[in-house]
Amino acid sequence: VENTIRRFYGDDASAWKNRCESVVRRIVNQYTLHPVQLSVNAVTQSVADKFYKYRSRDSMSSSTAFYLIVTILMTSSSQVLQKHAANHSNSHSSETSRILKQPSFIGSIVLLGLGLCSWIMVLKHTDVSLAYPLLSINFIVVLAMSKMIFKEKIGRTRCLGCFLILAGVYFLSGAAA
Amino acid sequence: MISQATASLIIALFGGSLGQLLMKVGIQNGDILNGLLFWQNGFNLSTSGLLALGIISYLVSMFFWIHALKTFPLSFAYPVLALSYVIVSIGAAYWPGLNESLQITKMLGLLFIIIGVYFCTLSPNSKPVESNE
């Protein structure tokens, strides 16, 4: 490197080298971080890189749609599990703390966690403004699940209400604009 | 006189929305490193404090949500949670540090959500049920 610099800058080579070194030293001093901070930065950077790489895609690929469906199924079945946990303590007493120890409640938390991972996979490949309104399909899925599993009566007004909420979320997210 | 179940549904609703707003304000006052790695950077009340409050508010809201689910059918209680979109949007517009915009499309969306939730409460079985075995 020194030879290359000398070829271009002749006698000024040593001055140039000093300048480069001082710049590098300043940068290093400024950005010296704790290893944990460095690794967090690296992870954030790679996530951001991947996000911007796929940002320009307008339509969803089939794998993204798959992850979206998995997310919707997981989050809505976690709601069903919470309702199941709540139902089962109904006959005993009114204390809620007992519910938190039930297997179906713990299962619902696990499903929420898995749903979050799958949601991050969705966000990796599409814009959040496209994906987030689609997540409100949850309202319909939960409605259908509570009819099938808990035999709840669902009137026509309630269906209409849920579709209005869906439309509202669509407008709210700015996807319509 | 509102019942205990209605009260806990309302607390769950507002707790979740407040948690969302507190987390937003907390993460806006600093970055994720200052907020979550507080054992390295010192406990900053305006970032770590608000983030912690937001998460606590979320957990409290979950507790009351479970309590509300004991009496309300899921097909009624879950759509009511959509009102948190309304609370968060209006809260983000008027919270001192946030000042997010509320354009006409957003207001239209909020109106749709409110009407939708109103329709859900009109349904015959929105009253608390005795048992769901």
Side-chain angles (χ1 to χ4, degrees):
Chain A
V1 176
E2 254 176 66
N3 285 336
T4 323
I5 291 173
R6 198 165 286 132
R7 202 177 301 144
F8 278 111
Y9 293 95
D11 294 325
D12 287 340
S14 59
W16 176 253
K17 198 184 153 206
N18 284 343
R19 225 176 102 205
C20 282
E21 275 178 3
S22 76
V23 167
V24 168
R25 202 172 301 126
R26 206 186 308 145
I27 291 174
V28 167
N29 284 342
Q30 205 171 356
Y31 291 100
T32 304
L33 292 172
H34 193 273
V36 174
Q37 289 179 332
L38 275 179
S39 58
V40 172
N41 278 2
V43 170
T44 322
Q45 193 59 49
S46 69
V47 169
D49 282 345
K50 277 171 184 144
F51 181 68
Y52 283 114
K53 194 172 163 190
Y54 290 104
R55 223 179 116 85
S56 54
R57 287 191 185 177
D58 289 321
S59 58
M60 277 189 195
S61 67
S62 59
S63 68
T64 312
F66 171 74
Y67 279 120
L68 186 70
I69 291 169
V70 169
T71 308
I72 287 171
L73 284 181
M74 280 183 172
T75 47
S76 26
S77 31
S78 91
Q79 290 295 330
V80 168
L81 280 181
Q82 285 183 15
K83 174 69 178 160
H84 181 264
N87 274 350
H88 266 248
S89 73
N90 205 6
S91 52
H92 297 303
S93 63
S94 63
E95 55 173 324
T96 308
S97 52
R98 291 188 64 165
I99 300 176
L100 307 182
K101 291 169 194 156
Q102 288 212 349
S104 52
F105 181 77
I106 296 165
S108 86
I109 300 292
V110 171
L111 270 183
L112 270 185
L114 290 175
L116 185 66
C117 296
S118 159
W119 174 241
I120 288 170
M121 291 301 290
V122 174
L123 284 187
K124 188 174 158 184
H125 295 283
T126 91
D127 286 3
V128 67
S129 61
L130 177 68
Y132 191 63
L134 287 174
L135 205 62
S136 62
I137 296 172
N138 259 358
F139 287 105
I140 304 298
V141 176
V142 168
L143 208 67
M145 280 184 171
S146 51
K147 185 176 175 62
M148 285 190 295
I149 296 168
F150 300 113
K151 312 282 184 236
E152 291 177 8
K153 287 188 191 107
I154 296 161
R156 215 174 279 170
T157 21
R158 187 167 292 174
C159 282
L160 184 63
C162 278
F163 276 106
L164 278 175
I165 292 171
L166 229 70
V169 174
Y170 178 73
F171 280 119
L172 188 65
S173 65
Chain B
M1 182 67 193
I2 57 171
S3 67
Q4 206 189 351
T6 317
S8 45
L9 186 59
I10 291 171
I11 293 173
L13 179 60
F14 276 90
S17 314
L18 188 69
Q20 200 71 254
L21 286 170
L22 283 173
M23 282 194 253
K24 170 69 179 161
V25 176
I27 207 68
Q28 214 173 39
N29 287 340
D31 58 359
I32 188 90
L33 291 175
N34 289 329
L36 292 180
L37 300 180
F38 58 84
W39 57 90
Q40 273 186 22
N41 304 294
F43 193 82
N44 188 355
L45 208 63
S46 65
T47 54
S48 309
L50 286 179
L51 276 178
L53 263 182
I55 293 168
I56 289 169
S57 172
Y58 239 65
L59 293 179
V60 169
S61 126
M62 189 169 224
F63 187 82
F64 280 100
W65 168 246
I66 291 288
H67 192 73
L69 275 186
K70 278 202 283 194
T71 36
F72 284 117
L74 184 62
S75 61
F76 167 71
Y78 193 65
V80 169
L81 271 201
L83 279 183
S84 70
Y85 286 111
V86 179
I87 299 169
V88 169
S89 302
I90 294 175
Y94 290 103
W95 196 288
L98 292 178
N99 296 321
E100 290 184 9
S101 65
L102 253 184
Q103 308 112 341
I104 195 80
T105 37
K106 278 193 191 175
M107 297 228 248
L108 189 67
L110 296 184
L111 193 69
F112 268 82
I113 292 173
I114 292 170
I115 297 172
V117 173
Y118 176 67
F119 272 32
C120 286
T121 58
L122 283 182
S123 261
N125 71 337
S126 61
K127 300 283 175 290
V129 288
E130 284 306 308
S131 153
N132 226 336
E133 288 300 305

